[in-house]
Amino acid sequence: QSVAEKKARKALSKKGFEQVTGVTNLSVLRKKSPMFSIYSPDVYKNANSDTWIVFGEARVDNLGRMMNPGARSAARAAASATNPSDVLADAGASASAGASTADADADKEVDETGVASSDIELVIAQANCSRAKAVEALKNNSNDVVNAIMELTL
């Protein structure tokens, strides 16, 4: 910590900010922007309002595409939640629910008539989804690969 950072932290404590412990990772999600993550952040919250201040090194992450749909919805819920313990509970439940639905989708047989196998493989690779979901998205979007990927990742 630099001298300026120590002074900033001292000023925060005088203004009513209290350090929040137990936060290991903070992710900032914005529409049409990359996801930023801060690992091992120092988090402060104002007791009188819903104001948070975070110290740490921000890194650009591309985890939004790699997450399963359950974890992605948990991350979106985390962006709108104010209580970190609620976020952790919701994330665990959504991630486990997403994993079980992904396993169910992988076991289903799907009708691939009218859909090119190369398009299916491309959607699977880019959207990180099951074959059944890729075929369904391609059929919903008239075999348009770009729109199918967008449907599955957003």
Side-chain angles (χ1 to χ4, degrees):
Q1 295 178 355
S2 67
V3 174
E5 191 174 334
K6 286 180 184 178
K7 286 183 180 180
R9 290 172 194 260
K10 189 173 181 181
L12 286 175
S13 65
K14 288 181 181 179
K15 295 291 183 183
F17 283 86
E18 298 173 357
Q19 186 165 12
V20 178
T21 57
V23 179
T24 58
N25 184 12
L26 178 96
S27 297
V28 179
L29 301 173
R30 296 180 58 196
K31 289 185 178 178
K32 299 182 182 177
S33 294
M35 183 171 107
F36 295 96
S37 291
I38 302 173
Y39 299 100
S40 301
D42 293 329
V43 181
Y44 293 85
K45 183 187 185 312
N46 191 329
N48 301 326
S49 69
D50 192 27
T51 304
W52 298 72
I53 296 180
V54 180
F55 289 96
E57 181 183 347
R59 298 181 189 156
V60 177
D61 278 345
N62 197 10
L63 295 177
R65 288 191 196 147
M66 292 185 273
M67 283 189 220
N68 67 34
R72 192 176 309 120
S73 64
R76 284 193 186 114
S80 63
T82 57
N83 189 351
S85 60
D86 292 344
V87 172
L88 295 175
D90 292 344
S94 296
S96 62
S100 63
T101 56
D103 292 342
D105 287 342
D107 294 339
K108 287 195 288 187
E109 284 294 321
V110 65
D111 181 25
E112 298 176 7
T113 56
V115 182
S117 63
S118 61
D119 290 347
I120 296 170
E121 295 299 326
L122 180 60
V123 171
I124 291 170
Q126 292 298 315
N128 194 24
C129 65
S130 68
R131 189 169 192 86
K133 286 189 177 193
V135 171
E136 180 182 348
L138 283 165
K139 286 184 177 182
N140 289 344
N141 292 291
S142 303
N143 291 332
D144 186 355
V145 176
V146 174
N147 286 334
I149 293 170
M150 295 296 285
E151 176 185 319
L152 292 168
T153 57
L154 296 178

